Amino acid sequence: MKKPQLLLMGLCLLALPFSTLSAQSPDSVSQKTKYGPLDLWGIGIKASTDGFGFEVVKGFGERLNIRLGYSTMNIPISQSIPMDGFSATVEANLKFGGANLYLDFYPVKNVIHLTAGIMQNAMRHTLTVIPTSEYLYGDIVVPAADLGIVVGEVTPETKISPYLAFGFGNTLSREHRVSFNFEMGALYHGAPQLSLTGTNMLSPMASENNQQVIMDAIAQYKWYPMVSMQLTFRII
Amino acid sequence: MKSIRFLTSIFLVLVMAGPSCQKFNLNTDDLDIKLDLNVIKTNIMVQFIDAATGEPVGFNDGKKVEITIFGPDSQWVVNNSGKRMQKMYSAAGYLTFGLDPYNAKPTPNDPISLILVADIDGYVSTSLPIFLRSEGSHDFVVNMVDLAFPPDGVVVTTRDNSGSAVGGRLVNDMDMSTDNSDVNMKIPAGTEIRDAQGNLLDGNLKTTIVYFNPVRDSALRCFPGGLNVDVNKEDGEKEKGAFFSAGFVAIDIKDESGKKAAKFDGGKLDLNMAIDENVKNPETGQSVKAGDKVPLWSYDERNGKWTFEKTTEIHQTPTGLRTEAQLQHLSYWNLDWFETSCEFIEIFFTTADASKSGETGWGYGLFFTATLTGSDEFRTDGYFSGYPEITGTKTNLNTEVLQSVPRNRQITLTFHAQEGTTPLWNIPEPITYDFCSSTPVEVPLTPNTNATGGGGDQTLTITFNIEIYCTDLGAAATIPDGILLRYRLKGSSSWGTCTASGGTFTVAGLQQNKIYEVQALYNGEWVPTPGFEYFIEPSDVTVLTKNARFEIDCGG
């Protein structure tokens, strides 16, 4: 765990100068400026542990932003594994992302913010075990194609997930055209749901018992950690 | 700022020290790591029945029938573990084996042909031709003749010192008859006798003559090779068809070292055989009479084919009708008229219970006997295993068992259940049919209310989901299709049997508050030993599903 912690601390340190810089004068600006519906609009791009995406940001006064966005990410992984009596390839596809609607509140203007919101959680991780070699059943040579496959799919329990975060910087600067935001938080998706399907000889691997045993083991992972960096361009 | 610190602390706890940082705790021992070993798609079960008692051969004394497999597809025969086998042994009268699905897939256009030769001390060697056109489970019955207790219509005569040979040559004339003189055999002195491998017989000769009277059903049932035959005809043409027998004789001559006579040189065997006057000549439709001609066939048990030898003429003698022939090799000798047969017979079992559609497990084992309508002359018998797949309201069952039914004749099928079993369906009424008709045969079934308690006795039906755990492989699997299982009330002497399908087998007619034993026939052994025991609770009612796990050596 040390490495992620160091990384996060490093990211925080990197973000602080931006936050500090952008927090130099908004107090004086806000006293002078009234913002209307057509003011404080921005478009952002972001990279997070939930994928890459964009956001439309609308500012309200000096301390509130609303963000509507979408992110997505697919991570394909392929790995050969030896199994009992044959070899196989495990092909995984980790899919993250979804649409989000967040509210940012700045207790300390332009320095740190608290974020809450909801996300239409499109997380869907699949893992497919595909035999790549023949299987000897006695003297019968069973071709790899006839061994079947096992497919596991993990989805969130809640399709609409609440999100809470703590951030540095600003998702929409009142002073500058470009603003940088870094935030850490968590997405609640409930106990992950697993569905297993299997075909041919491998079909018993996808038993209800196996599904339940694995679901019990992963049931504790109800929160998904979110680390996000965002660059926003204020257009109005 | 205090609130910010507080919230920050909460978030950090959530993100960094929350549940996502907990140790992943999966106990792999709790996982079912098993394969579906239902690799073999064509399963064959053979029951070896003592023709006199009706009991499975070796059921009580543990004797095993040795089965040697010949035929063009014999190389693809495998045991339950997928090992190729040319020689196998029965267990308590049963044999199960399969075919390599990647090299021997039976279809109507590419059928599979096997010959099983069955040997066991004290019985007449016999054979079973198997001709398969489809995958699935196929069940056959072989009726065997116990030399000490032959069935009605079979006469066995054995002489320990019927002659002697020195350097392969008979010292004196050999002249031997069956006890009732139905068969007389003579071999002149000086005849050289060799076995099938060309070795000379030597020393005292032990001769056994077995005569099968074809007017007795019990004798027809155990005709070695059966009445559904592959023949090499007089013109050399090969054909499948049906025999109508006028008489059958099996002669076995062995020397002191066990060499079995097969060929004669420098002399011939004179065979004189009685013809029962009640034999019907199918060519005339009348009882056989002097002057009738009947072909004589010899049998090659290696390929299961009967070969035309000569045409014999029936004579009137003071003791009745007889015929004779001179033979130069020993074989089964059969006097038969040959008729062509139907190519393919479709049989559907139907049910009015549409709710059964899609099911595969009926738990229904059914013996049948096919006779010529009118004369009741036996043609063949067999067994339908209990797990047809029902589509709509009917099912196609195991048509291979009824092959080679003679053309243009009506056949009557009668049914009976295996002793000690309670079928889920009532035994069908006899069916009379022209089996060469283009219309499939339909056999209606009605539910047997006694199977599930509706008939009065509190009986119930249990479907067992069976998992086998191969102790030698350390792997588990669902029980493959076609595996034969037997069950009995604990302490009872009789077993009921049925075959596994879809990882299950269904047993009906079980009683509450009783213990039952279950075993599977796996690679020639009944396992587990002792059998899996299941107690039926007094509270158990009607239809149940239970799990069973057999720990066995899979021979891997």
Side-chain angles (χ1 to χ4, degrees), chain A residues 135-141, chain B residues 79 81-84:
Chain A
Y135 178 79
L136 264 185
Y137 180 68
D139 294 322
I140 299 173
V141 180
Chain B
N79 68 6
S81 295
K83 295 275 187 191
R84 288 195 187 139

Side-chain angles (χ1 to χ4, degrees), chain B residues 247-458:
Chain B
F248 180 103
V249 63
I251 300 172
D252 183 87
I253 303 174
K254 283 180 182 168
D255 70 5
E256 292 168 353
S257 62
K259 290 196 288 287
K260 192 173 171 179
K263 305 168 196 166
F264 304 111
D265 202 8
K268 292 182 177 178
L269 183 151
D270 286 311
L271 180 72
N272 187 297
M273 185 160 50
I275 307 292
D276 193 306
E277 62 185 17
N278 293 311
V279 167
K280 285 271 192 302
N281 181 343
E283 293 178 346
T284 64
Q286 306 295 315
S287 294
V288 71
K289 62 182 188 304
D292 282 358
K293 290 185 168 54
V294 54
L296 180 67
W297 307 80
S298 67
Y299 188 63
D300 184 345
E301 64 181 14
R302 306 270 158 176
N303 61 22
K305 279 193 165 49
W306 292 91
T307 299
F308 174 83
E309 293 286 341
K310 59 188 75 176
T311 299
T312 64
E313 185 170 336
I314 296 170
H315 304 289
Q316 186 68 52
T317 71
T319 57
L321 298 171
R322 300 189 78 90
T323 190
E324 70 281 324
Q326 286 195 319
L327 314 172
Q328 252 186 321
H329 61 100
L330 266 188
S331 150
Y332 295 144
W333 293 94
N334 210 346
L335 290 164
D336 290 278
W337 293 276
F338 176 79
E339 287 192 8
T340 56
S341 60
C342 311
E343 273 295 308
F344 190 70
I345 306 146
E346 281 191 300
I347 298 180
F348 293 95
F349 279 53
T350 61
T351 168
D353 187 353
S355 67
K356 298 287 183 187
S357 182
E359 291 187 9
T360 55
W362 287 13
Y364 192 76
L366 189 64
F367 284 92
F368 71 89
T369 301
T371 56
L372 289 182
T373 305
S375 69
D376 290 338
E377 182 182 318
F378 174 87
R379 292 309 307 172
T380 189
D381 59 0
Y383 181 79
F384 292 118
S385 63
Y387 295 97
E389 186 170 352
I390 310 163
T391 304
T393 57
K394 66 181 183 180
T395 177
N396 193 345
L397 279 183
N398 205 346
T399 55
E400 276 76 358
V401 295
L402 252 177
Q403 54 196 266
S404 299
V405 173
R407 188 173 290 280
N408 302 322
R409 289 173 183 269
Q410 282 212 321
I411 296 288
T412 298
L413 278 186
T414 53
F415 303 93
H416 65 279
Q418 184 181 23
E419 194 177 342
T421 63
T422 304
L424 290 174
W425 304 84
N426 292 315
I427 302 301
E429 294 296 315
I431 293 262
T432 296
Y433 208 80
D434 175 359
F435 280 85
C436 289
S437 163
S438 57
T439 309
V441 184
E442 292 197 356
V443 183
L445 296 174
T446 54
N448 177 11
T449 52
N450 282 326
T452 54
D457 293 337
Q458 188 56 60

Side-chain angles (χ1 to χ4, degrees), chain A residues 114 137 139 146 201 210 220, chain B residues 7 22 32 36 80 82 102:
Chain A
L114 302 174
Y137 180 68
D139 294 322
D146 283 6
M201 286 181 72
N210 285 358
Q220 58 184 323
Chain B
L7 286 171
Q22 289 179 16
D32 295 329
D36 179 354
N80 302 124
Y102 298 101

